[in-house]
Amino acid sequence: MSEARGPAGRADVEAKAKELDAGDQLAAKRAEFVLDDGVYLDGNSLGALPVHVEARVVDVISRQWGSLRIRSWAESGWWTAPERIGDRVAPLIGAAPGQVVVSDSTSVNVFKALVAAVRMIRDEGGAGAAARDEIVVDATTFPTDGYIAESAARLTNCRIVPADPADVPGLLGPRTAVVLLNHADYRAGRLHDLPGLTAAVHAAGALVVWDLCHTAGALPVGLDEHGVDLAVGCTYKYLNGGPGSPAFLYVRRGLQDRFDTPLPGWNSHVEPFGMRPGYEPAADITRGRVGTPDILSLLALDAALDVWEGVSMTAVRAKSLALTDFFLECVEAYVPAGHVESITPVAHAERGSQVALRCPDAEGVMKRLVQQGVVGDFRPPDLLRFGFTPLYLTFADAERAARVLGRTLAEASTGS
């Protein structure tokens, strides 16, 4: 096994891990999750299961569905669940109640937000409104966002302008209708400047849509504070809602009566049970809905959100930064020189809640890590990606993961 190297030896980082864990304000939260004796660093793909969710889902199936059946739409609150659970997500992303609805997938919500944004900007009237025919899209975005943006552009007779987020202000102009940006790069974990970019988009007279998939539940977002127009995000990563749990859509209150959805389903009708042939949208965030809610997944998410009771997002962010700082310190201590390169920003203001390491044969290395109980993920062509979920990870976890990584790479280099 390789010995620790660099400025801190193994004894030093182990001692530091114990010290940091002893002072962890969120340490008690770990007991609220189902975990094994490994190190789970893939919460940026699928969060761990909160311990109480199983019993709640059993109740939904056996009592609400099994016994109450159709009555549960009213008696169990099924019908209003998308808005009620949206109000539970809202404070985690810096939004007041009545601005978030939980429904559909991230991809569907991106489509709704982009098309509606183009329609709203053109309907504003004024000089040049009709000429706004460009959708600026984060060129580093998760592929689906790009696919959806291309479709939205065809539907609205717009053209796509791909851009690195840092270059967006220089590309904005009188033809810009909407800008789609990721709050954090899913590969490197780079955090983009939500306040500054939002202000730049507004100065150009356009609307902005933020994808919060890799930040919701990991750090303060401040949607209301920074005047964000629209935002989307998944709930199965840092919010721990379960595989395929429904996504959320945020529509700023001042835009809700103008939100012109391209998917006008019966659930967003002002009178859904009136069964009218003509569509008339609801006046509030309800118009972000489309069809019948996915009740089983939705209520599993509702149960999972209980773990956030009493949690400060400021404390979550502080632990996230401390965990990622410490993990990088441990990598420096344990990993043989030249074997990995971190592409995650050093500056806290530019870092999300993950660490990405460039590494030869990254796919094979990750497979060997998983075999040893350290679960991260691989992103082609050469990235090891480790997500740090502050609610259930410890500093001892970070030290152990780096130690196993160092040993694995040392063994690979010697052929042992």
Side-chain angles (χ1 to χ4, degrees):
M1 188 171 84
S2 65
E3 295 298 324
R5 62 173 183 85
R10 175 172 177 174
D12 295 326
V13 291
E14 287 183 335
K16 185 171 182 178
K18 291 180 181 178
E19 178 184 351
L20 289 169
D21 280 328
D24 179 12
Q25 298 179 27
L26 298 173
K29 283 290 171 180
R30 182 179 175 89
E32 296 183 31
F33 291 87
V34 177
L35 300 167
D36 54 28
D37 59 0
V39 180
Y40 187 65
L41 298 177
D42 209 4
N44 53 336
S45 288
L46 177 64
L49 171 68
V51 294
H52 63 280
V53 169
E54 181 179 359
R56 291 275 289 279
V57 171
V58 167
D59 177 71
V60 171
I61 293 172
S62 62
R63 182 180 64 84
Q64 297 181 29
W65 180 15
S67 297
L68 292 175
R69 293 182 287 276
I70 196 71
R71 289 173 292 167
S72 275
W73 285 106
E75 295 182 26
S76 301
W78 287 1
W79 183 257
T80 57
E83 295 78 37
R84 176 175 55 80
I85 299 169
D87 282 347
R88 300 192 72 190
V89 171
L92 304 179
I93 55 176
Q99 298 179 104
V100 179
V101 64
V102 178
S103 66
D104 307 311
S105 67
T106 304
S107 300
V108 171
N109 286 328
V110 169
F111 180 74
K112 288 187 284 189
L114 284 178
V115 175
V118 174
R119 290 175 174 177
M120 286 189 290
I121 213 73
R122 289 175 176 170
D123 287 347
E124 279 184 351
R132 290 189 178 271
D133 62 354
E134 293 181 348
I135 300 176
V136 178
V137 178
D138 181 350
T140 67
T141 190
F142 189 75
T144 290
D145 284 14
Y147 306 155
I148 294 292
E150 288 279 1
S151 180
R154 292 195 301 273
L155 184 66
T156 57
N157 294 315
C158 286
R159 74 183 188 97
I160 295 293
V161 180
D164 186 283
D167 298 331
V168 163
L171 295 171
L172 302 173
R175 297 182 63 178
T176 308
V178 59
V179 180
L180 172 62
L181 294 164
N182 282 258
H183 197 193
D185 182 320
Y186 78 100
R187 289 189 182 91
R190 178 177 295 278
L191 186 67
H192 299 306
D193 180 10
L194 183 146
L197 289 169
T198 298
V201 172
H202 288 168
L207 296 175
V208 67
V209 178
W210 283 94
D211 182 330
L212 308 179
C213 284
H214 285 270
T215 54
L219 51 89
V221 178
L223 294 182
D224 286 353
E225 176 187 358
H226 302 301
V228 168
D229 302 306
L230 302 132
V232 302
C234 63
T235 61
Y236 49 78
K237 300 183 191 295
Y238 296 105
L239 295 179
N240 311 296
S245 57
F248 62 84
L249 169 68
Y250 164 90
V251 182
R252 178 163 52 85
R253 194 178 307 279
L255 294 177
Q256 288 178 13
D257 63 349
R258 296 165 47 212
F259 184 81
D260 187 358
T261 179
L263 297 172
W266 75 290
N267 262 231
S268 64
H269 198 283
V270 67
E271 191 182 353
F273 292 98
M275 305 302 170
R276 300 185 203 164
Y279 179 73
E280 182 183 350
D284 55 15
I285 191 61
T286 307
R287 69 169 61 191
R289 293 170 63 157
V290 181
T292 305
D294 185 346
I295 290 298
L296 296 183
S297 290
L298 192 58
L299 296 187
L301 167 63
D302 189 26
L305 289 172
D306 287 354
V307 300
W308 292 96
E309 294 298 325
V311 173
S312 159
M313 288 308 300
T314 300
V316 169
R317 177 60 168 164
K319 184 176 176 183
S320 165
L321 291 172
L323 276 168
T324 49
D325 277 342
F326 182 62
F327 178 69
L328 288 168
E329 179 182 337
C330 291
V331 169
E332 174 68 19
Y334 285 119
V335 174
H339 281 61
V340 297
E341 173 196 0
S342 174
I343 65 168
T344 297
V346 173
H348 285 180
E350 299 176 3
R351 187 192 307 166
S353 198
Q354 70 180 49
V355 172
L357 303 176
R358 182 166 284 129
C359 173
D361 188 28
E363 184 174 17
V365 170
M366 184 54 70
K367 287 179 180 178
R368 291 192 289 277
L369 291 178
V370 171
Q371 289 169 356
Q372 298 172 82
V374 175
V375 180
D377 66 17
F378 158 72
R379 285 293 179 269
D382 58 0
L383 289 184
L384 303 172
R385 201 177 66 151
F386 303 98
F388 287 84
T389 304
L391 292 190
Y392 54 75
L393 286 175
T394 68
F395 292 90
D397 288 333
E399 184 274 333
R400 178 182 169 189
R403 175 159 36 92
V404 173
L405 174 62
R407 181 179 65 212
T408 300
L409 292 173
E411 290 173 349
S413 65
T414 60
S416 59

